[in-house]
Amino acid sequence: MIEGAARKPAIEAKGGVLIRLWNQAPSILFRLVLFVIFFLLIAPPAIVLISSFSRALFFTFPPQGLSLIAYERFIANPALVSALKVSTTVGLANMVFALVLGIGAAFVIDRYRFPGRDVLEAVLLAPLMLPVLVLSIAILMFISQLHIPRNFWLLTISHVLVTTPFVLRIMLAGMAGFERVLEEASASLGARPWQTIVKVTFPVLQPTILSAGVLAFVVSFGQVTLSIFLAGQKLATLPVVIWAYADYSYDVAITAVAAVIIFVTIVVLAIVEKTTGVERVF
Amino acid sequence: MATLEQAKVAVRPSTQKRYGRLLVPGLLVLPSLIVLLVFVIIPLVFMFRYSFYRHGYLVVMEPAFTFENYIRFFTTVFYLEVAAKTLGYALIVTVASLIMGYPVAYFLSRSRTRFRPLLMAIVIVPFTLSLVVSAYGWLALLSQNGIINWFLTKIPFVDEPIKLAYTPRGALIAMSVNFIPYQVLALLSAISNIGRDLEEASYNLGANRRQTFFKVLLPLSYPGILSGCTLVFVLGLTAFIAPRLVGGASMIMLGNLVYDNMIVYLNWPFAAALGFMLLGATMAVFFISNRLLRLEFIERERGLR
Amino acid sequence: MQEQTKVSDVKLEEVKKVFGHITAVDSVSLHIKEGEFVSLLGPSGCGKTTTLRMVAGFVYPTEGNVYIGSKLVNDVPPYKRTCGMVFQNYALFPHLSVFENVAFGLRVRGVKGDEIRKRVAAAIELVRMSGYEKQYPKQLSGGQQQRIALARALVIQPGVLLLDEPLSNLDAKLRLQMREEIRDLVKRIGITTVFVTHDQEESLTIADRICVMNNGKMEQVGSATEIYEAPQTVFVATFVGITNLLEGRLLGEANGGLYAVESKQGIKVIARSAASEPPKLGAVAISIRPEKVCIGRDSPKDATNVLGGRVTSKVYLGAIIRYRVAVRDGLEFVVEQQNREVEQLGKGEEAQIWWASKDALVVTHK
Ligand SMILES: Nc1ncnc2c1ncn2[C@@H]1O[C@H](COP(=O)(O)OP(=O)(O)OP(=O)(O)O)[C@@H](O)[C@H]1O
Ligand SMILES: [Mg+2]
């Protein structure tokens, strides 16, 4: 150790700065590559946020001047405001359903030991691997053949299909860390089973439930594919609006719409980080 | 008399418990299973059936039992070209996202920087963010006067902005970056499981960085690579949003064919056939990957690796 | 505190618990009297926790009966029993403050406002934790959490207090202090207490009676003195304290409750039996505590049970000196000598050891 430290300066004296640079090149290069990748990851939402506050009516870089014109146009456009309402209500209704289904299933998988338990878990998580495009068209064809019109509840349930597995996965991870002895302590203090569930189990699992809930909300809030096929005209959600507009025309208000979705996503991730930590969820 | 009473005490609670045991979990999982059955399994089964229907001019789907949708797909050069391109594009984004995701995953699993939560969030944001929103962002980044061309034109050799928006090139860049999080999340646990000491042992035995990477790190993170690539490949196969928005009208993947036949041409039986083939391809990919993974574990158990 | 729920006795009758292929507890019968402090002692996996949990109601016995205060509770769920329980990791509710943790048992019973405040304050006072009401469990040290867990269990005025290795997560010094505190507190209230531990010293110092368990079976029940001075089985003799054990055969009764035993090495020993019924002929063992064995260059004229040997090691322990003496055919004795005795031997010296017949005990293999 000491020997090495003593020898180093001698080499440096010979080769000087160039050799040191050459020796460190791989790690410098690695850092540079990392920087570029992280930049690419963050750039799309960042550019949308920046443009949404820009005065220019088109994307330009560097941005020119600050303004809220995009947001003003958003609010002034009834179609966009209605889409915001639809996205929010579908997201919330979806969250409730996904929590009910996901928590129920998680309880069974976590608490009971029975043959076929692994299969049950795999089946309930399977929608995560199903191509959403295929699922969307299958549902659309099926309901059309049955002459069921597209409506709010259908859209919601379709979102529930893809958000419940998220909830299930997060709940299973959270419940694995739940100390069952707390429930025994509760029972020993005279709490009936339902009292234990209400006063101990749910409150202790509350951060996990919150995480799962907001994630279910945001996945629905940003969900495009299902909504494109199953929303119909009246129930267009924010992502559907972006899809439709981006195809045909350009309107700065759309930048504001995209920015709103980004805000919601960031808020949700912040909540998840605060309650259970992002890493424990994904 | 006494024995009879004891018997009662012994039997009653256990039968009661057995019914209770079935009732509660049943009530808790049944709704999930019903929803899956009604909204996933049954529609998929019917889609399979619809793929043998005929496209009518007055009705979107005309009940029939014909293979013409499949025959049409396999005998039309255009569709086969689209299929080939789709496979190619999916492969490109899989490899590209792996190449970009690996350093990120390696860094995140090794470094102890205090910015870790922030960096992790940067990885997670595209994962959670709506596909259209990031496509929209990419459009802005790649446009003639977007940031990337602004940067490129500052380089001495590049005079003209490069056309990236509304080209397959641009869409592939966008998709590759969008899929990085899947690769990172799959690789993170795999790389974390390879102890630092293994790498150090490799250096210790005189291996250089490149050898250590190819002989130690890469083989040991193979399960993570496989599962990440599987997910991304499947997502690439069925992509249609980024290809349409960023790639422009000229970029047609199988997903776009499905969309157009559903929404524009209203040829639902053909869309059903395409959808069914995509589903089959997806399941085949997952199946193969699962097999490979199992093989890998068996080999590891035997100590062949 | 107000009117106390009646302190109950606990009775286990031939209790057995089988988990799959494992018999965790095997025909344990034990009567714990009102206000008595009993400790369950035994090695890891011997069934202590399972026994305790059968009293609490978390585990239902496969066979046998559990009574709490003369009521058969075999099928009574835990929340209908009057057992206060303290867990190894305290199991305080992380989402509730100290006050709410202690109040929990009262709230689920429907006790209201003022009375809750009074009783919780009294319970927190009892464990000397006043002033911490607003803190959360995470903000407390291990010892403080332990006290709150105790207050929480006691505030509901249970008939029985159950503690499962409550001190094992504390550091050595705190463990001694908490041991005293728990004993004082429990005795002051006069509650029936069952205390599980695998630490023999803890067990001997804290309990009125100790129940030594091994392999799911009860080996011996008795006071600390009885367990130490008069072990009945090989397991009890070796598990509690150090002992010299001579495997052998019971030849027959000598006189006055003394028995003749011949060890494998052919040493004939006269020994006492502590069991209520006389030991059967056949394989038994002799247990002689090291401090009961005398050592010297020459034994006194009137000494009984004299053996000659050589000192193979000598360890100076301050108050005592511990010798190892090789006697015969690989048989080695541990002998402890008080430091005040004048004649000390060196390593390698020839020595004689002897003991009184009443200090040698016949112990059986159970
Ligand atoms: N719920 C259970 N299912 C299956 N086996 C169990 C269960 N609980 C306990 N056992 C088994 O019963 C035996 C006795 O366990 P118990 O927890 O009562 O031991 P213990 O004396 O408390 O040990 P320790 O000192 O380690 O806590 C062990 O072999 C254990 O593995
Ligand atoms: Mg135990």
Side-chain angles (χ1 to χ4, degrees):
Chain A
M1 198 57 218
I2 294 168
E3 215 182 325
R7 224 186 296 149
K8 236 181 193 165
I11 296 171
E12 261 176 38
K14 262 190 246 158
V17 185
L18 270 180
I19 283 198
R20 206 164 58 200
L21 261 181
W22 174 249
N23 283 337
Q24 287 180 356
S27 99
I28 293 174
L29 195 71
F30 183 68
R31 265 150 215 267
L32 198 70
V33 166
L34 272 183
F35 179 80
V36 171
I37 298 171
F38 275 114
F39 171 78
L40 288 175
L41 282 167
I42 200 67
I47 195 77
V48 172
L49 284 184
I50 292 169
S51 320
S52 77
F53 293 111
S54 156
R55 210 166 44 200
L57 292 179
F58 292 94
F59 293 127
T60 48
F61 193 88
Q64 295 152 2
L66 266 175
S67 116
L68 287 176
I69 187 156
Y71 294 91
E72 283 161 17
R73 289 217 189 170
F74 178 178
I75 295 167
N77 186 334
L80 296 186
V81 174
S82 144
L84 176 62
K85 278 186 199 149
V86 173
S87 281
T88 312
T89 45
V90 169
L92 289 175
N94 147 81
M95 179 177 86
V96 173
F97 281 114
L99 281 179
V100 170
L101 295 180
I103 292 174
F107 255 88
V108 174
I109 292 169
D110 184 67
R111 297 280 167 109
Y112 293 84
R113 294 287 169 275
F114 50 91
R117 183 169 146 272
D118 293 347
V119 177
L120 179 71
E121 185 180 340
V123 165
L124 292 176
L125 289 175
L128 282 180
M129 297 203 278
L130 203 61
V132 185
L133 175 66
V134 176
L135 181 63
S136 309
I137 65 166
I139 296 176
L140 178 56
M141 289 175 190
F142 183 58
I143 59 154
S144 307
Q145 284 305 94
L146 294 180
H147 303 290
I148 300 172
R150 292 182 280 192
N151 63 37
F152 176 84
W153 294 112
L154 182 83
L155 184 62
T156 303
I157 290 292
S158 76
H159 284 195
V160 168
L161 296 176
V162 294
T163 55
T164 306
F166 269 103
V167 173
L168 177 59
R169 223 174 47 184
I170 296 168
M171 289 307 303
L172 281 176
M175 289 171 76
F178 179 83
E179 287 185 74
R180 294 289 294 278
V181 69
L182 292 177
E183 292 179 347
E184 293 185 346
S186 169
S188 80
L189 292 167
R192 277 142 201 290
W194 65 267
Q195 283 176 314
T196 296
I197 288 175
V198 172
K199 286 175 162 256
V200 176
T201 314
F202 271 98
V204 172
L205 286 175
Q206 186 218 315
T208 311
I209 296 173
L210 183 66
S211 259
V214 290
L215 270 168
F217 176 80
V218 85
V219 169
S220 155
F221 200 74
Q223 175 45 242
V224 214
T225 311
L226 283 163
S227 306
I228 286 175
F229 291 98
L230 300 174
Q233 292 284 304
K234 276 173 280 170
L235 281 168
T237 60
L238 290 181
V240 172
V241 168
I242 300 179
W243 165 258
Y245 272 74
D247 225 11
Y248 302 111
S249 62
Y250 183 82
D251 184 339
V252 276
I254 297 308
T255 319
V257 171
V260 165
I261 296 179
I262 295 168
F263 283 134
V264 172
T265 309
I266 290 172
V267 168
V268 161
L269 287 179
I271 294 175
V272 173
E273 175 65 32
K274 265 259 140 51
T275 49
T276 52
V278 162
E279 281 195 58
R280 286 196 38 213
V281 166
F282 290 97
Chain B
M1 190 60 207
T3 44
L4 224 142
E5 281 215 354
Q6 270 173 357
K8 256 188 209 162
V9 168
V11 169
R12 188 170 35 83
S14 64
T15 44
Q16 233 174 16
K17 252 186 259 161
R18 197 164 298 159
Y19 282 118
R21 243 178 231 163
L22 279 176
L23 192 71
V24 175
L27 282 178
L28 287 176
V29 276
L30 216 55
S32 290
L33 290 176
I34 291 173
V35 167
L36 270 188
L37 181 71
V38 173
F39 292 95
V40 177
I41 295 169
I42 294 179
L44 286 177
V45 169
F46 273 85
M47 183 185 79
F48 182 50
R49 175 70 187 95
Y50 299 150
S51 71
F52 300 104
Y53 276 23
R54 191 170 279 132
H55 177 48
Y57 288 95
L58 295 174
V59 276
V60 175
M61 292 195 283
E62 198 175 285
F65 190 83
T66 165
F67 286 94
E68 66 187 35
N69 298 308
Y70 293 97
I71 292 169
R72 180 170 162 219
F73 179 83
F74 285 107
T75 53
T76 310
V77 175
F78 171 69
Y79 294 140
L80 293 177
E81 270 176 16
V82 170
K85 264 192 208 156
T86 303
L87 283 177
Y89 289 155
L91 223 74
I92 288 170
V93 297
T94 305
V95 173
S97 63
L98 174 66
I99 289 172
M100 290 189 283
Y102 204 98
V104 174
Y106 180 79
F107 177 75
L108 285 176
S109 64
R110 288 289 189 255
S111 121
R112 292 196 195 85
T113 167
R114 64 204 157 90
F115 296 115
R116 205 190 135 84
L118 181 72
L119 296 177
M120 198 66 202
I122 292 179
V123 173
I124 297 294
V125 167
F127 184 76
T128 346
L129 192 62
S130 181
L131 282 176
V132 271
V133 173
S134 60
Y136 196 68
W138 276 108
L139 215 46
L141 288 172
L142 299 170
S143 69
Q144 298 288 77
N145 42 12
I147 185 167
I148 287 181
N149 268 314
W150 175 80
F151 185 76
L152 287 177
T153 46
K154 294 274 180 277
I155 300 172
F157 316 100
V158 187
D159 316 320
E160 284 278 289
I162 298 172
K163 188 163 166 47
L164 289 170
Y166 306 115
T167 66
R169 232 179 312 164
L172 291 179
I173 294 174
M175 285 160 76
S176 302
V177 174
N178 275 354
F179 292 149
I180 289 176
Y182 292 88
Q183 299 278 20
V184 173
L185 291 175
L187 286 168
L188 257 181
S189 60
I191 297 181
S192 307
N193 285 342
I194 310 168
R196 248 222 111 95
D197 43 343
L198 275 182
E199 262 179 87
E200 271 155 17
S202 165
Y203 289 130
N204 211 357
L205 293 171
N208 62 24
R209 277 172 198 268
R210 197 169 50 86
Q211 288 167 325
T212 302
F213 178 74
F214 282 106
K215 296 241 144 103
V216 178
L217 222 44
L218 214 53
L220 283 176
S221 47
Y222 173 71
I225 294 176
L226 191 61
S227 58
C229 286
T230 308
L231 263 179
V232 171
F233 185 72
V234 163
L235 287 170
L237 278 186
T238 57
F240 76 102
I241 294 194
R244 183 81 184 84
L245 291 187
V246 186
S250 64
M251 184 176 183
I252 297 176
M253 290 178 71
L254 285 175
N256 301 96
L257 277 189
V258 172
Y259 177 82
D260 289 342
N261 277 289
M262 282 301 288
I263 305 289
V264 185
Y265 313 129
L266 294 180
N267 187 346
W268 286 15
F270 188 56
L274 289 171
F276 179 72
M277 288 187 284
L278 277 178
L279 183 64
T282 304
M283 296 206 304
V285 170
F286 276 122
F287 180 77
I288 292 168
S289 136
N290 220 327
R291 269 294 145 98
L292 288 176
L293 215 63
R294 214 173 287 165
L295 236 109
E296 162 78 7
F297 282 124
I298 292 170
E299 279 193 15
R300 272 191 193 188
E301 296 266 292
R302 288 210 197 117
L304 292 178
R305 243 175 219 280
Chain C
M1 285 208 215
Q2 281 93 1
E3 28 69 74
Q4 193 91 27
T5 325
K6 199 179 162 303
V7 168
S8 322
D9 60 337
V10 175
K11 207 158 77 191
L12 304 174
E13 268 180 10
E14 293 290 317
V15 170
K16 181 172 181 179
K17 180 68 200 182
V18 181
F19 293 112
H21 304 294
I22 302 165
T23 305
V25 174
D26 198 358
S27 46
V28 164
S29 295
L30 179 64
H31 186 190
I32 304 162
K33 294 185 250 340
E34 284 166 26
E36 194 181 22
F37 195 136
V38 166
S39 153
L40 301 182
L41 174 67
S44 185
C46 72
K48 308 176 298 276
T49 298
T50 307
T51 308
L52 194 75
R53 289 164 64 81
M54 282 194 281
V55 178
F58 300 128
V59 172
Y60 293 103
T62 315
E63 273 172 32
N65 294 320
V66 180
Y67 296 90
I68 297 178
S70 77
K71 191 177 155 217
L72 179 68
V73 293
N74 280 11
D75 298 326
V76 178
Y79 51 90
K80 286 188 187 150
R81 301 189 184 189
T82 48
C83 297
M85 180 129 179
V86 175
F87 298 85
Q88 186 171 358
N89 299 313
Y90 325 129
L92 293 178
F93 304 125
H95 60 296
L96 298 179
S97 65
V98 162
F99 182 92
E100 284 304 324
N101 259 285
V102 179
F104 187 92
L106 299 174
R107 290 205 194 280
V108 295
R109 279 181 168 70
V111 180
K112 290 267 148 35
D114 243 13
E115 198 187 339
I116 288 194
R117 226 167 306 129
K118 271 207 319 248
R119 285 171 67 175
V120 170
I124 292 179
E125 175 83 52
L126 198 64
V127 294
R128 300 191 289 109
M129 283 292 289
S130 303
Y132 287 93
E133 287 85 351
K134 291 203 173 62
Q135 309 260 311
Y136 280 80
K138 255 187 260 150
Q139 301 166 296
L140 303 180
S141 71
Q144 290 172 327
Q145 291 189 39
Q146 189 58 269
R147 291 205 180 95
I148 297 305
L150 205 56
R152 183 179 70 175
L154 289 173
V155 77
I156 57 171
Q157 299 172 344
V160 184
L161 181 64
L162 307 173
L163 305 105
D164 190 357
E165 310 215 13
L167 306 178
S168 59
N169 281 344
L170 303 178
D171 61 52
K173 203 173 154 202
L174 201 55
R175 203 173 330 177
L176 288 183
Q177 185 194 337
M178 283 302 293
R179 188 159 94 192
E180 309 280 304
E181 264 182 52
I182 289 179
R183 169 142 183 116
D184 283 356
L185 186 60
V186 157
K187 281 298 162 191
R188 192 139 40 95
I189 302 172
I191 188 174
T192 312
T193 305
V194 185
F195 184 103
V196 164
T197 179
H198 61 253
D199 179 337
Q200 41 152 317
E201 186 194 327
E202 199 167 281
S203 198
L204 293 175
T205 50
I206 202 169
D208 300 332
R209 267 202 307 161
I210 298 143
C211 167
V212 184
M213 293 181 69
N214 184 33
N215 271 329
K217 292 209 170 75
M218 224 169 63
E219 292 273 337
Q220 187 174 349
V221 189
S223 66
T225 328
E226 283 166 0
I227 295 289
Y228 188 80
E229 303 279 347
Q232 294 172 8
T233 66
V234 172
F235 178 79
V236 175
T238 50
F239 186 71
V240 181
I242 311 174
T243 200
N244 295 297
L245 201 72
L246 279 74
E247 299 282 353
R249 229 160 29 84
L250 185 74
L251 299 175
E253 190 164 355
N255 55 344
L258 293 178
Y259 298 86
V261 176
E262 182 178 8
S263 85
K264 276 183 193 151
Q265 296 80 8
I267 305 168
K268 284 222 172 68
V269 182
I270 301 295
R272 176 169 73 91
S273 168
S276 47
E277 48 210 84
K280 294 186 190 74
L281 292 184
V284 291
I286 299 291
S287 158
I288 313 155
R289 298 284 181 200
E291 70 274 15
K292 307 279 189 191
V293 184
C294 306
I295 184 165
R297 293 199 178 80
D298 251 322
S299 56
K301 293 272 143 30
D302 55 348
T304 49
N305 307 310
V306 184
L307 293 174
R310 185 186 295 277
V311 176
T312 56
S313 87
K314 175 185 178 184
V315 184
Y316 177 76
L317 294 169
I320 58 169
I321 295 149
R322 180 176 295 157
Y323 298 96
R324 280 178 183 282
V325 181
V327 184
R328 193 187 286 183
D329 302 342
L331 183 65
E332 204 176 47
F333 265 74
V334 179
V335 181
E336 283 174 3
Q337 186 187 36
Q338 289 291 325
N339 199 358
R340 88 179 106 78
E341 279 165 43
V342 273
E343 192 185 35
Q344 288 194 6
L345 283 85
K347 192 177 162 189
E349 262 188 84
E350 294 285 338
Q352 294 213 309
I353 57 171
W354 66 94
W355 62 86
S357 288
K358 68 166 173 55
D359 290 330
L361 282 152
V362 178
V363 288
T364 55
H365 297 274
K366 196 156 191 173

